Amino acid sequence: MADRKLSKSEVKKLRDKLESKRKPVWQSIKASERKAALRWCQEYREFISTVKTEREAVDFIRKEAIKRGFREAASLQNSAKAPGIFWTFRGKLAALAVPGSGNPGDIRLIASHIDAPRLDLKIYPLYEELGMAFFKTHYYGGIKKFHWVAMPLAMHGVVLTGSGRKVEISIGEKPDDPVFMINDLLPHLSRKVQGSKKVGEAVPAEKLNLLVGGLPVNGPEDTKDAVKLNILRILDRRYGITEEDFISAELEIVPAGPARDAGLDGAFVCGYGQDDRSCAFASMQALFGLESPASTCVALFLDKEEIGSDGNTGAKSRFIEQIYLDLFRLAGTDADPGALLNAMTSTRAISADVTAAVDPDYQEVHDRRNNALAGHGICLKKYTGHGGKYAANDASAEYVSLIRRAWDAAGVRWQAGSMGKVDEGGGGTVAKYLAALGMDIVDAGPPLLSMHAPYEIAHKADLYMSYRAYQAFYSTDL
Ligand code: MN
Ligand code: MN
């Protein structure tokens, strides 16, 4: 039987009822919420301006937790005595929890990562060449090496001296601080050595050397490596460290200076490390806003995601089990192996991580129908991984259904998407490592432009909606 011909208004009704719509957030929210979003993003901008390493993120989270009366798990006998609990582990992993009113095994968890792509100093970094001193580096995570030349860089980190004293270093952020540069070749002479090469090979890793000095030590003219010696002398005078101490150091080279608003209308935040400290900040703020939730809410801030989540501060670390054990202990309940396992397998979790926004200039690598659009809200990613869903966490339809209902009920503006065309590339998150513990987990975070570049771009609507989405996840009945 042929259908009756529909009128214009009937077609519109049908469309409204059946078609999926992705709307830009900004025009679909109230003026008061736009205002709240801008205020929130200002605080966020300050956060990513000051927090540039995983260690600095842990320090920040600890201080904010203490300010709110949270107590360190190890120092606490019973969680009823504090509004919240915090953990830090080896200075590079942190967790926060607000105990729920129900069973201690009823847990909601949001995991983000606080490490970001950067350059690390090598074990023996310092050398002199042609009257200039340099630090050799080894890149950390997925960078495009040509991004890191000819731009002001800062150095953040720690050095442990021969006697075990810890020295904290941060150079390049204050207006009067010197910065560090990796020199690039002038275009006049780079035709062959760079211009004729593939872009990924034009700047080799071994040429990512940081200019750190050009003044010789005040000694006899024939003093060998006099500039290098002068740098060592400055380091000794300022920090009491020697060349050997670089062996027991973690010094990270990151873009210098604060994050900024981007665009004439200030629609975007431009800053370093938004993958994934945007999600770390949003989940931290969501957790701090909780008042007596039903489920125990946990925010986990992981290190080492950018290099595969290995190591004792990454998502594969057993520290996550320690947190669960503590939660049981602090609730005054016996954590027998069965109860612990049950708490893990029944945990509802979000892997809070960014995704790629469709880049208008490179639409050929994206699937426009299935990839995230900037300004269209937090992006829910059912699965990650690459070609053929290899190495993916693929959340169940049932779990995705819970999340979308929670967000819709709370008025969160969100979109669903995956990253890039199917065989174009891809990437993973911590989701699959937490899924291995049996949790229900799905990825969700703001889409970024220029992801993994020294300055990444995020739309303010998406940053704010990520915060709102994490808030709803913690406090809505699932
Ligand atoms: Mn990430
Ligand atoms: Mn990343």
Side-chain angles (χ1 to χ4, degrees):
M1 192 186 82
D3 279 333
R4 178 175 62 80
K5 188 170 181 181
L6 300 176
S7 71
K8 222 177 192 174
S9 74
E10 282 171 322
V11 167
K12 185 181 177 296
K13 247 190 224 161
L14 204 59
R15 228 185 250 297
D16 287 349
K17 185 180 166 202
L18 297 178
E19 272 188 356
S20 157
K21 290 156 220 73
R22 282 202 286 177
K23 275 191 265 172
V25 172
W26 213 242
Q27 65 210 56
S28 73
I29 57 175
K30 287 196 206 123
S32 59
E33 199 166 18
R34 289 201 285 264
K35 225 172 167 182
L38 293 177
R39 244 195 337 262
W40 190 88
C41 284
Q42 200 167 335
E43 247 184 273
Y44 163 68
R45 221 183 51 199
E46 279 161 30
F47 169 76
I48 55 165
S49 296
T50 47
V51 168
K52 296 206 176 170
T53 68
E54 54 285 349
R55 285 178 189 270
E56 289 170 358
V58 166
D59 285 345
F60 186 94
I61 292 161
R62 187 205 290 115
K63 278 186 198 139
E64 291 296 312
I66 291 170
K67 239 195 255 172
R68 288 164 174 82
F70 280 44
R71 298 271 307 275
E72 188 156 24
S75 75
L76 205 57
Q77 302 302 322
N78 192 304
S79 53
K81 300 221 164 64
I85 311 157
F86 72 89
W87 294 257
T88 65
F89 189 52
R90 302 197 197 282
K92 292 189 275 189
L93 184 161
L96 300 168
V98 175
S101 49
N103 166 354
D106 171 15
I107 292 171
R108 302 267 170 97
L109 182 146
I110 301 182
S112 60
H113 67 91
I114 49 177
D115 63 322
R118 59 176 191 254
L119 307 176
D120 287 342
L121 291 199
K122 282 198 181 192
I123 306 297
Y124 292 105
L126 182 60
Y127 69 97
E128 178 172 338
E129 190 72 44
L130 303 177
M132 289 177 275
F134 297 90
F135 278 163
K136 294 199 70 64
T137 67
H138 188 150
Y139 64 95
Y140 172 99
I143 64 162
K144 288 181 174 175
K145 295 174 202 105
F146 64 83
H147 278 158
W148 292 78
V149 299
M151 68 174 300
L153 298 165
M155 182 158 53
H156 293 234
V158 297
V159 181
L160 276 291
T161 66
S163 66
R165 184 173 54 91
K166 187 189 276 186
V167 184
E168 292 192 25
I169 292 180
S170 170
I171 309 168
E173 301 294 353
K174 294 190 207 92
D176 294 337
D177 273 2
V179 293
F180 305 98
M181 300 287 286
I182 295 168
N183 299 316
D184 196 12
L185 201 52
L186 63 170
H188 316 65
L189 296 177
S190 66
R191 212 175 290 170
K192 279 188 227 148
V193 76
Q194 288 181 331
S196 66
K197 286 190 178 142
K198 286 187 193 158
V199 72
E201 293 160 6
V203 177
E206 291 294 347
K207 290 188 198 283
L208 291 177
N209 300 318
L210 219 57
L211 181 63
V212 295
L215 300 176
V217 75
N218 194 3
E221 255 177 57
D222 60 351
T223 306
K224 202 177 153 273
D225 285 348
V227 176
K228 175 185 166 182
L229 193 60
N230 194 41
I231 291 297
L232 285 172
R233 193 183 199 197
I234 291 169
L235 289 171
D236 176 39
R237 281 179 170 168
R238 208 171 289 171
Y239 305 108
I241 59 177
T242 68
E243 188 170 16
E244 198 82 353
D245 295 338
F246 283 109
I247 295 170
S248 47
E250 286 175 6
L251 290 167
E252 304 180 7
I253 307 304
V254 298
R260 315 282 294 263
D261 274 1
L264 274 175
D265 56 2
F268 304 93
V269 173
C270 157
Y272 167 67
Q274 303 201 69
D275 172 9
D276 183 34
R277 292 192 276 263
S278 58
C279 297
F281 186 73
S283 57
M284 180 190 76
Q285 295 284 63
L287 186 126
F288 282 148
L290 290 171
E291 274 171 42
S292 48
S295 309
T296 291
C297 295
V298 180
L300 191 57
F301 308 94
L302 298 161
D303 180 30
K304 298 286 183 281
E305 193 276 343
E306 295 295 356
I307 56 168
S309 293
D310 294 303
N312 57 13
T313 51
K316 293 184 201 167
S317 145
R318 304 292 293 267
F319 192 71
I320 295 159
E321 285 145 82
Q322 176 73 57
I323 290 170
Y324 274 65
L325 265 173
D326 282 341
L327 285 172
F328 272 82
R329 175 178 62 80
L330 294 172
T333 314
D334 269 347
D336 62 79
L340 206 63
L341 208 59
N342 191 43
M344 282 194 177
T345 54
S346 59
T347 292
R348 287 175 169 162
I350 285 182
S351 160
D353 207 344
V354 301
T355 190
V358 174
D359 186 326
D361 281 326
Y362 293 93
Q363 297 191 35
E364 63 272 27
V365 305
H366 303 283
D367 168 3
R368 278 194 63 157
R369 290 183 185 86
N370 282 286
N371 293 171
L373 301 177
H376 286 60
I378 182 173
C379 180
L380 180 78
K381 288 158 286 172
K382 185 176 181 297
Y383 54 85
T384 52
H386 50 91
K389 294 196 177 179
Y390 193 77
N393 170 63
D394 197 348
S396 73
E398 289 85 349
Y399 188 54
V400 171
S401 157
L402 288 183
I403 302 291
R404 65 182 270 229
R405 279 183 283 154
W407 286 352
D408 283 341
V412 172
R413 307 302 156 129
W414 61 279
Q415 55 185 322
S418 56
M419 195 168 83
K421 277 187 176 160
V422 174
D423 277 333
E424 201 68 50
T429 64
V430 300
K432 61 176 177 172
Y433 306 112
L434 299 181
L437 300 172
M439 300 178 184
D440 253 330
I441 188 162
V442 67
D443 277 283
L448 296 189
L449 292 159
S450 297
M451 194 204 292
H452 280 209
Y455 295 101
E456 300 170 314
I457 296 285
H459 196 291
K460 287 180 181 173
D462 303 334
L463 292 164
Y464 181 69
M465 279 304 156
S466 301
Y467 160 65
R468 292 266 286 96
Y470 301 151
Q471 210 175 30
F473 169 75
Y474 278 141
S475 49
T476 314
D477 251 357
L478 290 184

